[in-house]
Amino acid sequence: MSLFDRFRRRGKRMSRPTGGRYTGSTRVRAADSADQSHLEKFVETRRGVEGFVEPRTVVSEVTLLLVAHDGEWTRRRVPSAKWAHTFANKHGVPSYDAAVVGVPQRMRDYNRRQKQQGK
């Protein structure tokens, strides 16, 4: 037995796990109905909500970032940017492309307040 025998596949083909979607070597979870329900609940229970559609990256699919008037926020995967804008329009939420406008300062302020309070 040579030193490198243990690293050979020995005729077996390596298989990828099933389910999800692949981006290079990373398995990305697709958006599901739980994500949509969470976004709907956030919009219904907060005021002054705005949506920021974040583009697909190497490690994440398209996401919708919802930010309330006080800076409280949530982010969930969505099927596509078009779906995110349609969702926002349907719920009366203004939506923006985060790659163009960035995220609002009130979100960063909210995160800083939460950190100072030890949350």
Side-chain angles (χ1 to χ4, degrees):
M1 177 182 208
S2 84
L3 177 64
F4 297 105
D5 281 346
R6 70 175 59 178
F7 299 113
R8 292 192 181 136
R9 291 186 194 175
R10 296 183 187 180
K12 294 182 182 177
R13 182 180 170 151
M14 296 180 73
S15 64
R16 293 181 176 174
T18 57
R21 205 169 112 179
Y22 274 89
T23 341
S25 63
T26 305
R27 192 171 102 185
V28 177
R29 181 180 68 82
D32 58 18
S33 61
D35 293 326
Q36 182 177 348
S37 297
H38 177 80
L39 293 171
E40 287 172 348
K41 184 176 178 183
F42 189 88
V43 168
E44 292 167 0
T45 58
R46 275 70 172 190
R47 64 183 176 90
V49 176
E50 292 180 315
F52 297 86
V53 181
E54 300 173 317
R56 181 178 182 270
T57 65
V58 174
V59 294
S60 178
E61 287 298 317
V62 176
T63 57
L64 177 58
L65 172 69
L66 296 177
V67 183
H69 78 285
D70 62 351
E72 184 181 3
W73 60 275
T74 189
R75 175 185 286 126
R76 292 293 185 270
R77 290 175 182 88
V78 294
S80 68
K82 182 179 178 183
W83 185 96
H85 287 293
T86 302
F87 172 88
N89 291 338
K90 178 181 162 189
H91 290 88
V93 172
S95 62
Y96 311 98
D97 289 322
V100 176
V101 300
V103 296
Q105 181 64 43
R106 68 180 183 274
M107 178 183 155
R108 291 188 288 274
D109 294 341
Y110 176 82
N111 289 341
R112 188 176 60 251
R113 285 191 309 269
Q114 294 299 310
K115 188 175 181 179
Q116 288 172 347
Q117 294 173 1
K119 293 182 182 179

